[in-house]
Amino acid sequence: MYQESHPTLEPGPVPEGSLRTLAPPQLGILEAEVWSRDPAAYTVVSAVRAEGVPDWNLLVHSARQVLGRHDVLSWHLVLDDGYRLTARATPCAPQRDPVEELDLRGDDAAHADVVIAQRLRCERGRVINLMDPAGLPHARVLLFRTPCEPAGEGDTALCALITHHALVDEFATTLLWSEIFQRATGQAVCDHYDCRYAQWSAASVSDSAAAAARHAAQELAGHLGAHPLGIAEAPPQPGPAPTPLHFTLPTPLHAAAVARAAQLAVPPTAVYGAALSHTLCRRADDRPLVFHLPMTRRAPDVDHDIVGCYVSSVPVLARPPGDCDDRAQAIRRWQASLAFSSARSHADTATLRTALGDRATPRVSLAFEAPSTVRSAPPIRWKPLPAPDSTAKTPLAVFLAPGSRNVAGSGRLLWQHGVLDGSSARDLVATFLTNVGRYARA
């Protein structure tokens, strides 16, 4: 996920009592959820495969401790007397156990994988109602004890965290897994009840923060409104969600993108962003488009170990290549657009909607995901697994996870019914990969 830069918010005291203030990223997600075609669009299923678990009971206990330690995981939504949406923390023991164990050691590995995949798809389609404090816990962990092949020391497990995106972001899920496995191996970890996200959330809606957010939105609106924007896709139609298209980012292609980025002193993602801009703007009659990118509002030196949702969807201007024949210039221009929007990721969405009207509606989303790498808390080793397929939250959605020197990257193309079909989606991906090669080897 792209790391943005903005003034650090000073945390204040935790609000008295159990009331919590929702942060702008949370409010943005909840607003988008209301208009989503998929009631479970913001259900998070984060799965990892772990090997070398030395003590299964300690793993279960560790998962319970971690879920109970982070204040934000106990939040549920309430309406106050003024019909404003707030949250109430309920850190007391939930009515139902937030950790579920499933023993699949008696199955063969292939059947166990089928059982797990079916359960995760079921969880991915389950709606998490943050207004209901009496239902299932809003953050749960499933622990599948799986056959160990080849035989080795300790247990193997497929572990899945299920929660709502308003409570966690991608980085927060990594923090949770790290803490669970560190506890399960007896490493020293913090035991204090963690209210720091509540502090950040309260600071993010202070009077000064709100004024800065309005100003940032006005700057973004002026930047985007200065261009005659296009639409890169057909209008969505009622109908079933199409099957996402998965594709590979070949290792040689990514190596070329990395080398080109190094020459231009930009991140490799700039090469991919410029190539995607070229691809989609061509579909919009060479008119600029707006891509919506998820960006984290974490300040690395302050918020790097806090569990919570810091992600906002930010509009970024994507320009066609027609007025920029130099591909190196196009790459730099994409990075400049990204940096401009990134510095304003705290922009107030209501101000943006008022200023831009229909142009503020997300139509194309682009997300850069972290590559799947093996992590360890000796003797446990774990690796994140691809999440179950979801529906597109925008008419067209692109997810890219660039690989490494020796590992190919991956991508997913999602779209709403009527925007593309299987053939046009494959053509779009092929054109995009061709353009990545052109931009990487220019």
Side-chain angles (χ1 to χ4, degrees):
M1 184 170 297
Y2 190 78
Q3 175 67 54
E4 53 96 6
S5 176
H6 66 94
T8 300
L9 294 171
E10 291 295 332
V14 178
E16 293 183 5
S18 61
L19 288 180
R20 300 290 185 260
T21 303
L22 293 166
Q26 295 176 300
L27 292 170
I29 288 170
L30 295 171
E31 180 182 17
E33 183 181 39
V34 170
W35 297 103
S36 174
R37 297 183 174 204
D38 178 7
Y42 294 91
T43 295
V44 173
V45 177
S46 170
V48 300
R49 190 177 297 279
E51 299 177 349
V53 178
D55 186 327
W56 182 262
N57 291 330
L58 183 56
L59 174 64
V60 176
H61 179 66
S62 298
R64 290 195 183 103
Q65 284 185 305
V66 171
L67 292 181
R69 191 177 81 83
H70 295 279
D71 179 72
V72 70
L73 299 182
S74 71
W75 290 14
H76 70 269
L77 304 182
V78 294
L79 289 173
D80 66 13
D81 294 339
Y83 294 97
R84 293 169 298 188
L85 196 62
T86 59
R88 186 176 296 276
T90 54
C92 56
Q95 295 179 0
R96 299 179 65 174
D97 192 342
V99 178
E100 181 178 349
E101 302 175 65
L102 301 100
D103 194 341
L104 302 178
R105 287 176 296 172
D107 296 2
D108 62 73
H111 183 259
D113 287 343
V114 171
V115 171
I116 291 169
Q118 290 175 341
R119 178 62 186 273
L120 294 187
R121 282 196 299 269
C122 177
E123 294 294 340
R124 178 62 191 82
R126 193 190 302 274
V127 178
I128 296 178
N129 182 8
L130 293 178
M131 297 290 291
D132 181 11
L136 288 172
H138 296 153
R140 299 178 292 124
V141 166
L142 307 182
L143 297 176
F144 298 88
R145 201 170 187 177
T146 57
C148 187
E149 293 185 4
E153 294 185 3
D155 284 304
T156 61
L158 191 293
C159 313
L161 169 72
I162 298 97
T163 188
H164 195 286
H165 188 23
L167 305 182
V168 299
D169 54 28
E170 182 182 11
F171 189 72
T173 60
T174 300
L175 292 173
L176 289 168
W177 288 126
S178 296
E179 184 178 345
I180 287 172
F181 293 130
Q182 287 170 358
R183 285 181 179 275
T185 56
Q187 298 184 33
V189 292
C190 181
D191 282 321
H192 297 299
Y193 187 75
D194 196 344
C195 283
R196 289 177 297 169
Y197 185 77
Q199 298 172 356
W200 182 86
S201 180
S204 70
V205 295
S206 66
D207 290 344
S208 59
R214 290 191 295 269
H215 180 68
Q218 291 164 356
E219 291 183 324
L220 265 179
H223 179 61
L224 299 176
H227 300 273
L229 302 177
I231 299 175
E233 78 290 328
Q237 303 292 330
T243 301
L245 178 60
H246 294 254
F247 57 94
T248 298
L249 300 176
T251 301
L253 189 66
H254 182 62
V258 169
R260 186 61 172 156
Q263 291 176 350
L264 301 176
V266 297
T269 53
V271 178
Y272 292 101
L276 187 63
S277 297
H278 185 138
T279 303
L280 294 184
C281 288
R282 286 295 193 201
R283 296 171 59 91
D285 298 324
D286 282 331
R287 300 178 72 181
L289 297 173
V290 173
F291 292 175
H292 283 255
L293 273 73
M295 297 185 188
T296 177
R297 293 177 61 179
R298 292 176 185 268
D301 56 339
V302 177
D303 310 310
H304 71 280
D305 63 344
I306 300 178
V307 170
C309 179
Y310 287 82
V311 171
S312 296
S313 179
V314 179
V316 177
L317 185 65
R319 300 183 188 180
D323 59 345
C324 182
D325 294 330
D326 183 352
R327 294 192 184 107
Q329 182 181 348
I331 293 171
R332 291 192 179 100
R333 189 169 63 180
W334 162 264
Q335 187 61 26
S337 291
L338 185 62
F340 182 89
S341 295
S342 170
R344 294 158 182 81
S345 68
H346 56 296
D348 178 63
T349 55
T351 302
L352 267 179
R353 283 196 305 270
T354 300
L356 294 176
D358 182 60
R359 290 178 297 175
T361 302
R363 299 184 182 275
V364 178
S365 61
L366 168 62
F368 290 103
E369 299 180 311
S372 180
T373 57
V374 177
R375 298 177 172 89
S376 66
I380 298 178
R381 301 170 304 284
W382 77 94
K383 182 178 182 179
L385 299 179
D389 285 333
S390 61
T391 56
K393 299 182 181 71
T394 56
L396 188 63
V398 183
F399 296 82
L400 300 175
S404 61
R405 181 177 302 176
N406 301 314
V407 178
S410 62
R412 285 176 292 144
L413 184 67
L414 284 70
W415 62 95
Q416 294 176 354
H417 186 78
V419 172
L420 296 172
D421 56 29
S423 177
S424 59
R426 289 189 292 273
D427 288 344
L428 192 155
V429 169
T431 302
F432 166 64
L433 294 177
T434 297
N435 284 332
V436 172
R438 290 172 177 166
Y439 277 81
R441 298 183 177 95

